[in-house]
Amino acid sequence: MVRVSDLNYITSILLVFLISAPAWAQNTGTVPSARDRLFSDSSLGIQVLVPSGVEVLRPEGPIDLVLQSGNGWWLNVQSANRNDSRTVPDLVARLESKYLGAGKPWSKKLSGRQLDSTTGARYDALYLGAGTIVRLVLIREPARDYVLMFIAPEDAFSGFAKEFDRILASFQPLEDATKPLKEHNTFPIEEQKKPENSTRFERFNAITLGFSLLYPMDWHISRPSETTVVFQGKEGGTDAFATISVQNVSPPTGVNDSIALNAVIQQLKAQMAYSVSDVSHASGTPFTLGSADKSVSVHQILSDYAVNSIPYRQWTLFIPRQGEGLVHVWAYAAPLEYFAHAQPIAEKMAGSWTFEPVSR
């Protein structure tokens, strides 16, 4: 299996080649509804205001609830059974050990204060991430703890803060919140990768594009152009934020394979320099991909960048077809916060690559 962990890289990331970011990360985003609404969830034991134009998501994994705005902010809600042996400072320290520090989502703590509140809120803090500001509020109820993480672009955070204030003011436990959550642990909830066999795969054959690979059966496939295929994670889960694209690129004619490959890599980097912000790249170690009778040395880069101040990560493979004047550009991209969720799937898809005759 090809693994992202095989890269020798300094933290970095990249944009899907010639493919725009998902709609939820763009300003156009979700179409606003006519009015605000209240959302209740008996399994979590909460009721919360959902502002106009905000989508409610129930992802798989450690995040129980996501409120996603088309304007570029989102709110993550995590829940756990209350453990009175851990004080508020203990819980905050455990959360910060997971999220704050070098190589973690939060690079700096801006503020933090313990609260003596009748509403259940017990801690309120601000953190600086990669181009974002995160406001964390810890809420303790009789049987449950909740952590709310409001995340918005750094340059727009103050403008969106009032939305979170409204949501926080509406956040209240239902009667079920007096009961412990089933099959929940105490904070911090560790992220667990899904077992590889929990996802069912089938093979995608692209005769006109010259390759085949495995892909999850519940992922959406689209063809935005004759030379491009895009695989999108299942809607409603954390994989929904993952995009894997393959595009055939014809480098300049009359050059050898090495120069052609380098031209495609530099073209992609140049496009990113003008398309997204805060871009950095790191090269991984080349490796061999393909079958015994048809294999090539694949070059790879890992890149970090921002779309509307939201940090992204992308792993890109450049797969040249020797002597054919063609390079396959394979790219897995996701918001940095969700990159690890679909990483095992991306690695399996990359490792399943086989070459097919190109039908021109």
Side-chain angles (χ1 to χ4, degrees), residues 232-248:
Q232 184 78 39
K234 181 182 178 181
E235 183 177 356
T238 52
D239 293 350
F241 303 116
T243 302
I244 295 176
S245 66
V246 186
Q247 183 174 36
N248 286 354

Side-chain angles (χ1 to χ4, degrees), residues 217-258:
M217 294 177 63
D218 57 0
W219 280 36
H220 175 70
I221 302 175
S222 62
R223 292 289 298 270
S225 73
E226 292 183 358
T227 60
T228 305
V229 59
V230 177
F231 303 88
Q232 184 78 39
K234 181 182 178 181
E235 183 177 356
T238 52
D239 293 350
F241 303 116
T243 302
I244 295 176
S245 66
V246 186
Q247 183 174 36
N248 286 354
V249 180
S250 298
T253 58
V255 298
N256 62 39
D257 291 337
S258 177

Side-chain angles (χ1 to χ4, degrees), residues 22 24 55-66 68 76 194 218-219 232-243 332 334-335 337-339 341-342 345:
W24 71 268
E55 185 178 5
V56 178
L57 304 175
R58 295 300 305 270
E60 299 175 4
I63 307 299
D64 293 305
L65 186 71
V66 177
Q68 181 63 60
N76 293 338
K194 292 182 292 185
D218 57 0
W219 280 36
Q232 184 78 39
K234 181 182 178 181
E235 183 177 356
T238 52
D239 293 350
F241 303 116
T243 302
Y332 162 51
E337 182 180 3
Y338 296 98
F339 187 84
H341 287 276
I345 291 175

Side-chain angles (χ1 to χ4, degrees), residues 72-74 104-108 110 127-134 151-157 160 277-278 304-312 336:
W73 63 260
W74 69 98
K104 298 179 182 179
W106 307 336
S107 59
K108 182 179 180 181
L110 302 176
Y127 301 89
L128 182 65
T132 65
I133 292 180
V134 180
I151 307 164
E154 183 178 357
D155 58 359
F157 181 86
F160 293 141
S277 58
D278 302 327
D304 285 334
Y305 65 98
V307 177
N308 294 334
S309 298
I310 298 173
Y312 270 73
L336 182 58

Side-chain angles (χ1 to χ4, degrees), residues 30-186:
T30 307
V31 177
S33 61
R35 59 183 182 179
D36 300 341
R37 63 193 187 279
L38 284 175
F39 173 82
S40 298
D41 188 299
S42 58
S43 64
L44 295 178
I46 61 171
Q47 177 177 280
V48 65
L49 171 74
V50 179
S52 174
V54 172
E55 185 178 5
V56 178
L57 304 175
R58 295 300 305 270
E60 299 175 4
I63 307 299
D64 293 305
L65 186 71
V66 177
L67 302 187
Q68 181 63 60
S69 167
N71 291 325
W73 63 260
W74 69 98
L75 171 65
N76 293 338
V77 179
Q78 295 189 45
S79 58
N81 288 326
R82 177 164 174 162
N83 182 352
D84 287 324
S85 67
R86 297 196 181 278
T87 65
V88 169
D90 289 338
L91 294 175
V92 173
R94 286 168 64 83
L95 286 164
E96 290 182 347
S97 70
K98 180 177 177 62
Y99 293 104
L100 177 62
K104 298 179 182 179
W106 307 336
S107 59
K108 182 179 180 181
K109 186 172 184 176
L110 302 176
S111 65
R113 60 194 178 103
Q114 192 164 340
L115 306 174
D116 183 11
S117 171
T118 58
T119 63
R122 291 293 179 264
Y123 197 79
D124 195 335
L126 291 177
Y127 301 89
L128 182 65
T132 65
I133 292 180
V134 180
R135 183 178 173 190
L136 179 147
V137 176
L138 170 64
I139 297 175
R140 305 210 82 176
E141 296 297 341
R144 305 182 187 184
D145 289 331
Y146 299 94
V147 169
L148 281 62
M149 296 183 191
F150 180 76
I151 307 164
E154 183 178 357
D155 58 359
F157 181 86
S158 60
F160 293 141
K162 292 181 179 179
E163 285 285 73
F164 180 61
D165 288 339
R166 295 175 61 217
I167 296 171
L168 184 59
S170 74
F171 192 95
Q172 59 179 301
L174 300 174
E175 183 179 351
D176 288 342
T178 60
K179 305 172 184 177
L181 293 159
K182 295 181 179 179
E183 300 179 357
H184 269 60
N185 298 316
T186 55

